[in-house]
Amino acid sequence: MAFNKEKMLEQLAIAKGEKKRRNVIEDSNFLQVPVEESRIARMISIDDEPLKQTFWHYSVSGPGDHHQCLRDGFQRPLCPLCKLASRFYGESKQKEDAAWNAAKKLFSSERYVSCFVVRGEEEKGPRWFWYSKTNFKALITDYFLNEEEYGDIADSDTGNDVEIKVEPPENKGGYNRTTIKAKIKKTKLVDAAMKKAGFNTVQDVLTAVPNFREIVYPEPTVDSLNQAVQNYLNSAENEQQEENKGKKEVVPSLSEQIDAMLTESE
């Protein structure tokens, strides 16, 4: 294995904000809109639910360690990560102390997902697209403010296309900004371009939708989330041991602190 100088220089330029990060996620189940581009798409209503709400625990043991919360299935009391976050929050004495920060990191975040067919990319079929709670609120607010003009935007015969636009962050180091706005003009889900791509009926489109629970993101199990809790505790304990090196006063490890909290509450 050799040192890739070009790759390192590219990463340095990205870190400095001199170059945009390439979207390296390639999955035919998902719609990816590059920065500074937009797509005209049609939202598909699946089981009369075009906007699906999900909850996620992000970066539990480190970057990329994301876990879907059992709260999706209205089983939040069973979610081990939620339980641990609630315990930390209950033990916090003030805002921004160690327990409060641990709880803040572990609590789940709300995300939404909808299925779209992109105009001009009909041959790729239906794909899922992730967006934030902010995007959801903006879309719903715009819809209700213009409900008489829009009607049912997800109706297969008399609905509306939407424009999905991704813009660069306003501030250096920030996140890309996504906007989703419905078009006023009425369109059919299955138009001439869709038929040319092999989707002759609405049922053809629905049949091609990747199953969200089975293929895209299978529902987590209590066992898998218990393992995520254990990985988090191991990671936090290793960090604490590193911090304790060279210190005269040793801070108890996270697992020892949790054991102490459990003992006090008995």
Side-chain angles (χ1 to χ4, degrees):
M1 182 178 291
F3 182 84
N4 190 328
K5 183 179 178 180
E6 290 184 1
K7 185 67 175 177
M8 294 300 102
L9 289 174
E10 179 183 6
Q11 292 295 331
L12 179 61
I14 291 171
K16 290 181 176 180
E18 298 169 355
K19 185 175 182 179
K20 295 182 178 66
R21 183 181 297 277
R22 292 178 298 174
N23 196 336
V24 296
I25 301 175
E26 295 183 2
D27 190 326
S28 60
N29 294 319
F30 291 97
L31 166 60
Q32 304 288 336
V33 180
V35 179
E36 296 185 336
E37 292 188 22
S38 63
R39 297 288 185 272
I40 303 299
R42 183 56 171 272
M43 186 181 294
I44 302 170
S45 182
I46 301 167
D47 299 327
D48 295 325
E49 188 184 6
L51 313 171
K52 290 185 178 292
Q53 182 188 47
T54 64
F55 293 87
W56 292 82
H57 299 277
Y58 287 107
S59 303
V60 174
S61 298
D65 185 33
H66 311 318
H67 299 271
Q68 192 174 359
C69 181
L70 278 176
R71 183 177 178 178
D72 286 357
F74 303 102
Q75 302 182 74
R76 189 179 184 188
L78 296 179
C79 178
L81 286 168
C82 285
K83 282 184 176 181
L84 182 59
S86 296
R87 177 166 292 279
F88 281 146
Y89 185 78
E91 293 296 327
S92 64
K93 306 300 181 183
Q94 59 184 6
K95 190 175 182 180
E96 302 294 346
D97 66 10
W100 190 90
N101 286 327
K104 182 180 178 182
K105 176 183 178 181
L106 286 173
F107 274 129
S108 61
S109 299
E110 193 173 348
R111 293 282 287 175
Y112 288 82
V113 62
S114 295
C115 200
F116 291 92
V117 170
V118 178
R119 303 300 190 188
E121 300 178 5
E122 288 84 0
E123 73 285 352
K124 295 183 180 180
R127 288 172 286 168
W128 294 98
F129 181 74
W130 288 104
Y131 50 98
S132 68
K133 182 178 179 180
T134 302
N135 297 141
F136 169 77
K137 286 182 176 179
L139 179 62
I140 293 301
T141 300
D142 178 57
Y143 171 75
F144 282 115
L145 287 175
N146 302 280
E147 187 175 3
E148 290 187 5
E149 288 185 273
Y150 288 148
D152 184 353
I153 65 174
D155 186 274
S156 58
D157 292 320
T158 60
N160 311 63
D161 288 351
V162 301
E163 182 180 24
I164 304 172
K165 183 185 296 184
V166 178
E167 298 175 296
E170 292 181 328
N171 303 312
K172 187 177 180 179
Y175 294 100
N176 294 333
R177 297 170 294 156
T178 301
T179 56
I180 307 173
K181 186 171 177 59
K183 298 286 188 179
I184 296 297
K185 183 181 178 181
K186 295 293 181 182
T187 57
K188 289 182 177 292
L189 169 60
V190 180
D191 58 7
M194 287 291 288
K195 290 179 180 179
K196 187 177 180 180
F199 300 99
N200 296 305
T201 65
V202 173
Q203 189 56 49
D204 289 341
V205 179
L206 294 175
T207 301
V209 172
N211 188 294
F212 187 76
R213 283 298 182 204
E214 293 179 9
I215 299 174
V216 183
Y217 275 105
E219 189 168 354
T221 64
V222 173
D223 287 342
S224 68
L225 292 176
N226 276 329
Q227 184 59 55
V229 167
Q230 189 57 54
N231 292 342
Y232 167 77
L233 295 175
N234 292 340
S235 174
E237 187 165 350
N238 290 336
E239 288 180 9
Q240 190 63 66
Q241 288 176 353
E242 287 296 319
E243 290 181 9
N244 284 336
K245 286 182 179 179
K247 288 185 178 180
K248 293 181 179 180
E249 182 180 353
V250 177
V251 179
S253 69
L254 185 60
S255 60
E256 291 171 338
Q257 295 177 47
I258 293 174
D259 289 339
M261 288 191 296
L262 292 173
T263 303
E264 290 174 3
S265 61
E266 291 177 353

